[in-house]
Structure formats: C-alpha cells, structure tokens
Amino acid sequence: MPDRSFLSWPFFEDHHRHLAEDLDAWAAATVPALAHAAEDDLDGACRALVKALGGAGWLRYAVPASHGGVHERLDVRSLCLVRETLARHAGLADFAFAMQGLGTGPITLFGTDAQKDAYLPRVGRGDSIAAFALSEPEAGSDVAATATTARRDGDGWVLDGAKTWISNGGIADHYVVFARTGEAPGAKGLSAFIVDADSPGLGVAARIDVTAPHPLATLRFDGCRVPAGRLLGQPGEGFKIAMATLDVFRSTVGAAALGFARRALDEAVRHAGSRRLFGAPLGDLQMTQAKLADMATEVDAAALLVYRAAWTKDSGAPRVTREAAMAKLYATEAAQRVIDAAVQIFGGLGVTRGQIVETLYREIRPLRIYEGASEVQKIVIARQLSADANYR
C-alpha cells in the first residue's frame, strides 16, 4: 500500500485527495495491461493509453474548463498528482498524459479562441495526440541557439530546419514548434507555431530508441507551410511562450520522478521484509534499515519541493521559475538515488530485466535530462537568486 499521508498536507484541497484516490484505483485496474502491450507495439500502446486516459476523463486535467477541462485554468497540483500516480503504475502512462499537457500548454496559455477551439477539446477527449517541439541537434538546453527558421510568405509562414528528441514524434497529430523569425538576436527572435502532422514539408527523419522506450523522433521541416492563423501569440514571443509553459509543467517532471521513487521504496520495503539473509529478514540488518530510512526521507523531501512549487503556482504567482527548477532538480536526482538503492537491496534480481526496480532504473534516467538537465536547473536557480537580490 503506497504512503498517502502526504495528501493530508495543507498544499491540497479535498478535490485533490479524491483525484489521487480515484486515479490510483483506475490505474491499478487499467494501466498495467495497456503499458505491457508496448513490448510488441510501442506506438499502439501509447495511442491506447491516450484513448483510455481521455475516455476515463483524466485528460480533462490537461485542458481548461472552457474547452472540456476540469479547472478554469490549469491546476498544477492536479497535474502533479496525476503524473505521480500514473508514474507509480507505469512510466508509459505518465508519458502519455504528460505530453498531452505539454503539447497543448502553449495553446492553453497563449492561443486565440479559434486555436483553442480547434485543438484543446480533441486532446482532452484523447482523440488527438499532442507534441512539443523545442529541442534541436545543436540547441537543447540553450533555447537561444535555435536554428530552425520561419519566414513570412504571403498569407502564411514557411518553416525550415530540424527538431530532435521530440516526444510523440511520428504519432502526434500536431506539434507546437519553436522557430527563429528574427525580430531580435538570440532568444528574443523566436516565435511559436502550431503545425499539423500532415502539413506538407514536415517529415519524420528518424525514430530514436532510448533506454526506457517511448516514441521519440527527429523531425525535418523542408519548406513546411503553416497558415498565418497557426502563429501562437505575437512574432518574437516564442521564448516567453516556451518558458511560461515550462513554468507550469517543469514541476510535474519532479512529480513523475516522485512516483517512480515511491514505487521503488514500496518495492524495497516489501522485499526487505520477505527476503531472508543469515537466518533473518533482510530488513532486520541495520545497513538495510539505514538505506530505507534515507530513501523515505528523500521521497518526502522531494514531495515537499514538488507540491510547494505547484501550490505556489496555483496560488497566483506569476512565475515560479526558481521553485519549479528546485522541484525538478531535487526530485529527479533524489529519485535516481532512491531507485539505485532499491536495486542494491534487490541484489541480482535488481538488474534482471523485467523486474520492477530494473524498469524504474531505466525510466528515471531521462528525467534528469529532459525539460532542462539538472545542471541547467542549477543555473536557473542561481540566476534567479541573483536577480531577486538585485546583484545584476
């Protein structure tokens, strides 16, 4: 039984507690079989998970109430609870939910009524798959180095360039794409566009196989024409749109890591109680007890940072750059340590393919990289501290 005592923390309201309990029950009954199908058909499993999440109403948390969602505006605590809960059951289920939110977050935050009408309801029902295309071969954490271009042409725009490490690449129905439009140097010269997957000139250059299988691809834009009505916000606002979106969703990456860590801790406690060593349960050894105590402390510390950031955003803070970066940094690094400790407690079983802790070991590693690597989060935190202190 997972620890649910954190739900009594003052960060949450009753509807958050009901969400966590109801989703946990649904996920336990539904997710394992759908996620297991990924061994034979990864793309099909992702589509099935999106469909199931939409049919059960869970994707309504990824869109606003005006377009079929639950809350008037995105509720970050709900997003975090959904990701934590799904991650505890299957990393692919968390992935399916997360990308529906990230791939429509810019539309929710900056889209026109027409853009919201065209995309959000279908995503919330699970009828359409979303993606967020920011990273490039030479521009990952350094968004200002974006090289993909968008030039005006008649009544639209033409995109040229490449995007890589794109989650849902190859199966998405639309991509939010960031490209250089040249209003100013660096980050101030970027714009954001909604690009339908069937747009002429958009192609999948390659699929990418990673440690924990997820649909990832490199995209090519060769004279890809985008109607003027697919520009998000104003020209030159792309960096602002990307950062505002990450301000909402970066905390949820920490929540997913927290879900992985909780599952690892649960598995380690169970194994320590049932595995006998030197005539007694493994959990009776002081070294094992110390390891479990460290794991539990890291889980709670991560949870406090994640839900502090989410609560701060939901309470009306215009930006939670520092809080979200701290949550993402600490929760992902702590989860890596917790899962590594669980593997150690399991011994040889811990590195046996198919064991839960072995799967978690592969699942957690990318979270320390995507949406800003841990090293980048440290830069973000330090710069925010300096800015708040007026040192610059």
Side-chain angles (χ1 to χ4, degrees), residues 26-376:
W26 178 86
T30 309
V31 164
L34 292 174
H36 182 71
E39 294 180 6
D40 299 315
D41 181 6
L42 177 61
D43 291 357
C46 283
R47 291 189 179 99
L49 282 164
V50 169
K51 200 69 177 175
L53 288 164
W58 305 119
L59 290 179
R60 294 179 62 223
Y61 288 94
V63 297
S66 59
H67 290 80
V70 175
H71 298 289
E72 183 177 344
R73 58 187 179 88
L74 294 178
D75 184 82
V76 186
R77 286 168 292 176
S78 295
L79 294 172
C80 286
L81 284 169
V82 172
R83 290 202 65 180
E84 178 186 336
T85 303
L86 291 175
R88 191 156 39 77
H89 289 277
L92 200 61
D94 163 63
F95 172 90
F97 175 85
M99 291 314 304
Q100 293 297 89
L102 186 62
T104 53
I107 303 174
T108 296
L109 297 173
F110 294 92
T112 64
D113 289 341
Q115 290 168 342
K116 293 176 182 179
D117 292 343
Y119 292 95
L120 298 186
R122 297 185 69 241
V123 166
R125 294 193 302 267
D127 294 336
S128 181
I129 295 178
F132 185 84
L134 180 62
S135 295
E136 297 185 2
E138 301 299 328
S141 298
D142 184 7
V143 177
T146 294
T148 296
T149 61
R151 58 180 173 83
R152 290 183 183 273
D153 185 67
D155 60 351
W157 298 81
V158 175
L159 275 63
D160 289 283
K163 296 290 180 179
T164 194
W165 309 112
I166 305 307
S167 297
N168 279 343
I171 69 170
D173 295 291
H174 81 261
Y175 301 87
V176 173
V177 180
F178 297 84
R180 182 163 301 284
T181 46
E183 290 74 19
K188 295 182 179 179
L190 306 179
S191 298
F193 302 87
I194 309 169
V195 182
D196 293 331
D198 59 1
S199 299
L202 167 58
V204 176
R207 292 294 295 268
I208 303 171
D209 292 326
V210 289
T211 304
H214 298 100
L216 289 174
T218 297
L219 307 177
R220 287 292 311 177
F221 299 86
D222 294 309
C224 178
R225 180 168 291 277
V226 178
R230 294 294 186 263
L231 172 70
L232 275 168
Q234 298 299 316
E237 290 188 337
F239 184 78
K240 180 179 79 171
I241 291 171
M243 294 304 104
T245 302
L246 293 177
D247 249 13
V248 172
F249 288 96
R250 189 164 274 161
S251 298
T252 77
V253 182
L258 180 58
F260 292 147
R262 285 197 199 279
R263 182 62 183 272
L265 177 59
D266 291 345
E267 294 295 322
V269 170
R270 179 190 58 77
H271 184 73
S274 61
R275 174 79 162 91
R276 297 188 68 80
L277 190 67
F278 306 125
L282 177 62
D284 283 358
L285 295 177
Q286 288 185 348
M287 285 187 292
T288 303
Q289 293 173 354
K291 195 176 291 290
L292 292 173
D294 288 341
M295 294 162 71
T297 301
E298 295 234 68
V299 166
D300 271 17
L304 285 164
L305 281 170
V306 166
Y307 290 110
R308 186 275 298 261
W311 172 83
T312 301
K313 183 64 176 175
D314 290 340
S315 297
R319 294 295 298 271
V320 289
T321 303
R322 185 184 71 167
E323 292 86 349
M326 286 180 171
K328 201 267 187 186
L329 169 65
Y330 187 84
T332 56
E333 293 289 336
Q336 182 80 64
R337 293 189 292 269
V338 168
I339 293 168
D340 185 75
V343 169
Q344 195 72 12
I345 287 172
F346 269 77
L349 284 175
V351 292
T352 304
R353 193 166 185 86
Q355 286 287 329
I356 291 173
V357 293
E358 182 271 339
T359 300
L360 291 169
Y361 195 81
R362 288 184 287 110
E363 290 280 6
I364 187 55
R365 193 58 184 86
L367 273 67
R368 294 168 57 202
I369 298 173
Y370 76 69
E371 289 192 36
S374 292
E375 292 76 11
V376 173

